[in-house]
Amino acid sequence: MTQWVDPRTHGVVYDKPLPNGWEKKFMANGILYFVDHNRGTTTYVDPRTGKSSLDNGPQITHIKDFKAKVQNFRSCCQQLSLPQDIKITVARKTLFEDSFQQIMSFHSQNLRRRLWIFFSGEEGLDYGGVAREWFFLLSHEVLNPMYCLFEYAGKENYCRQINPASSVNPDHLKYFKFIGRLLAMALFHGKLIGAAFSLTFYKRILNKPLALKDLESVDPEYYQTLTWIRDNDIAECGLEMYFSVDKEILGQVTTHELKPGGGNVLVTERNKQEYIRLVAEWRLSRGVEEQTQALFEGFNEVVPQQYLQYFDAQELEMMLCGMQQIDLDDWQGNTIYKHYVRSSTQILWFWQFVKEMDNEKRMRLLQFVTGTGRLPVGGFADLMGSNGPQKFCLEKVGEENWLPRSHTCFNRLDLPPYKSYEQLKEKLMFAIENTEDFGLE
């Protein structure tokens, strides 16, 4: 028997066209997939509906808010996770190199297994808190401009961007692949890193096109210059510019042509839009294509890029870096107490102590108790412990001459029953500023 009705859709035709640049194809086994020619990627997820053509693929539909996107991303990662675990042992003094050697020695798929992080010479068991501290400390280390892999985006912008002079290290591409794996591991395992990137960096990870407006967050002066050229008649101003720019790397100045023969092409009122576009693209990339490609290679080995397609740059930054600003009301409203009550004298003193702190000291206190100085998207309500959500906890433990202790896997602070506010403040500050390692009771 023959018929015009498709047995898969029972005659219901989905007639909404694909977005521009998209194409629908079928594999040899009949499975439907989609090609995004704009980005040069393929996916099983229908861009019109968010549904996967795979039975066990990510089914993302009607995502209206960021938390829903994160929840669906976590679900997708769960499908990729593997059983058992991998152990990574590092020394604090050689954190960067130890982590690099071990992460690059694993097959990329093994990095989707549960992590067990050990600091050499320390007894702490990793039920989440040790891994949080490892990601937090390691990200600070690898993004430190002193290694010449990254640099600050501007004089007053402390976001990181890839350093075009990174080739002074002959192995710099291997390190960028390692950093790509590290960032993907943080997303995959739901951990936060301790430093932020420029928004253009996140847009590159998401494979989203860059525009002149993106330059404003990286180099405001350069952006203002280009917008002035855009909005004014350069012929009347007598400006003499060509399709080339000077760049300086390690004190050596070279000329880069924005297009073939650009050094001889004068910028005029007629072609200035092309000039603005090309010079903005150059300023946002500045010859770091090889480094970017190496980082993407490492990243995509752990997290497929298509799993991030529903996020924008700000959302990706929030998911990867969390929140730095700590809200005291949110902290108090999502704290539980053991052997104390909310009105206990020591609890009132503790919140007075936190209130008197600036945000940087609050972050250090948070890191002491939870392993990281940043908060997840939902704030203190979304703090995670060893077995899922775990609120910040203050527990009455010990004698008044004891120092406070933290249990980072459980977001718990052991707060002895101090006899005065000055004593509590002194002991807490000493613990925060002098903590060094993990141990077992």
Side-chain angles (χ1 to χ4, degrees), residues 108-159:
S108 59
Q109 291 188 356
N110 287 330
L111 300 176
R112 298 169 182 169
R113 301 183 190 275
R114 190 197 186 283
L115 299 177
W116 278 92
I117 308 298
F118 297 92
F119 285 96
S120 299
E122 302 178 23
E123 299 176 317
L125 292 179
D126 186 11
Y127 288 96
V130 182
R132 280 197 293 269
E133 177 156 334
W134 177 69
F135 274 107
F136 192 76
L137 296 178
L138 180 57
S139 59
H140 268 293
E141 187 77 3
V142 301
L143 300 180
N144 190 331
M146 66 173 286
Y147 290 108
C148 208
L149 297 173
F150 289 86
E151 63 180 3
Y152 293 122
K155 295 179 181 178
E156 298 180 359
N157 186 342
Y158 295 102
C159 294

Side-chain angles (χ1 to χ4, degrees), residues 73-129:
F73 174 76
R74 298 274 177 253
S75 177
C76 295
C77 290
Q78 186 63 34
Q79 295 174 26
L80 292 178
S81 62
L82 299 175
Q84 300 178 341
D85 53 64
I86 60 170
K87 295 180 174 62
I88 298 176
T89 302
V90 297
R92 289 184 182 267
K93 291 184 178 180
T94 53
L95 180 64
F96 190 167
E97 195 61 30
D98 290 351
S99 301
F100 169 76
Q101 295 293 343
Q102 293 186 62
I103 287 180
M104 297 307 291
S105 69
F106 287 113
H107 188 281
S108 59
Q109 291 188 356
N110 287 330
L111 300 176
R112 298 169 182 169
R113 301 183 190 275
R114 190 197 186 283
L115 299 177
W116 278 92
I117 308 298
F118 297 92
F119 285 96
S120 299
E122 302 178 23
E123 299 176 317
L125 292 179
D126 186 11
Y127 288 96

Side-chain angles (χ1 to χ4, degrees), residues 219-396:
D219 193 334
E221 293 181 3
Y222 213 92
Y223 171 76
Q224 291 175 5
T225 299
L226 292 181
T227 53
W228 186 93
I229 293 173
R230 180 194 63 189
D231 299 335
N232 292 273
D233 189 337
I234 60 175
E236 295 179 356
C237 302
L239 293 178
E240 184 176 340
M241 300 180 298
Y242 295 87
F243 276 75
S244 63
V245 290
D246 291 334
K247 63 177 180 179
E248 179 182 349
I249 297 180
L250 300 177
Q252 183 178 359
V253 179
T254 59
T255 299
H256 171 77
E257 292 188 334
L258 298 173
K259 64 179 183 178
N264 299 317
V265 179
L266 183 68
V267 179
T268 65
E269 190 65 20
R270 294 183 61 183
N271 63 17
K272 72 177 184 180
Q273 293 298 334
E274 180 188 11
Y275 170 80
I276 292 172
R277 176 179 60 82
L278 291 175
V279 79
E281 290 176 357
W282 171 82
R283 178 60 184 85
L284 291 169
S285 62
R286 294 184 314 143
V288 295
E289 290 81 7
E290 285 188 337
Q291 298 95 314
T292 303
Q293 185 58 39
L295 187 144
F296 287 171
E297 181 181 348
F299 187 96
N300 291 327
E301 287 177 346
V302 181
V303 175
Q305 190 181 52
Q306 65 196 51
Y307 282 15
L308 297 171
Q309 62 182 313
Y310 294 99
F311 294 95
D312 60 30
Q314 290 84 357
E315 291 170 337
L316 179 59
E317 178 182 35
M318 185 67 71
M319 187 163 59
L320 184 61
C321 301
M323 300 187 298
Q324 296 187 72
Q325 196 63 34
I326 295 177
D327 186 326
L328 181 58
D329 292 335
D330 178 38
W331 197 344
Q332 288 182 282
N334 289 284
T335 296
I336 59 177
Y337 307 95
K338 290 186 177 181
H339 311 301
Y340 278 125
V341 295
R342 192 180 299 271
S343 58
S344 297
T345 302
Q346 289 78 10
I347 297 301
L348 297 176
W349 286 341
F350 175 82
W351 292 121
Q352 179 183 346
F353 171 69
V354 177
K355 185 176 181 179
E356 293 174 357
M357 288 178 158
D358 58 25
N359 195 71
E360 182 179 353
K361 287 189 172 63
R362 290 179 184 178
M363 290 171 63
R364 293 183 64 180
L365 173 60
L366 183 66
Q367 183 185 359
F368 174 67
V369 181
T370 68
T372 178
R374 294 179 178 240
L375 287 168
V377 176
F380 284 91
D382 286 354
L383 285 180
M384 299 298 291
S386 58
N387 296 310
Q390 179 70 62
K391 289 191 174 184
F392 189 91
C393 177
L394 294 172
E395 182 171 4
K396 184 178 181 179

Side-chain angles (χ1 to χ4, degrees), residues 157-211:
N157 186 342
Y158 295 102
C159 294
R160 273 67 164 183
Q161 63 183 11
I162 295 175
N163 190 336
S166 64
S167 58
V168 296
N169 184 332
D171 294 325
H172 70 130
L173 296 183
K174 294 180 181 178
Y175 283 107
F176 278 110
K177 183 175 180 180
F178 155 69
I179 294 169
R181 284 188 169 192
L182 178 67
L183 297 180
M185 288 170 63
L187 289 172
F188 189 89
H189 295 286
K191 309 301 182 184
L192 300 175
I193 66 171
F197 298 96
S198 64
L199 286 181
T200 58
F201 181 87
Y202 299 115
K203 293 186 75 170
R204 285 198 184 94
I205 290 182
L206 297 170
N207 201 21
K208 295 185 181 296
L210 300 178

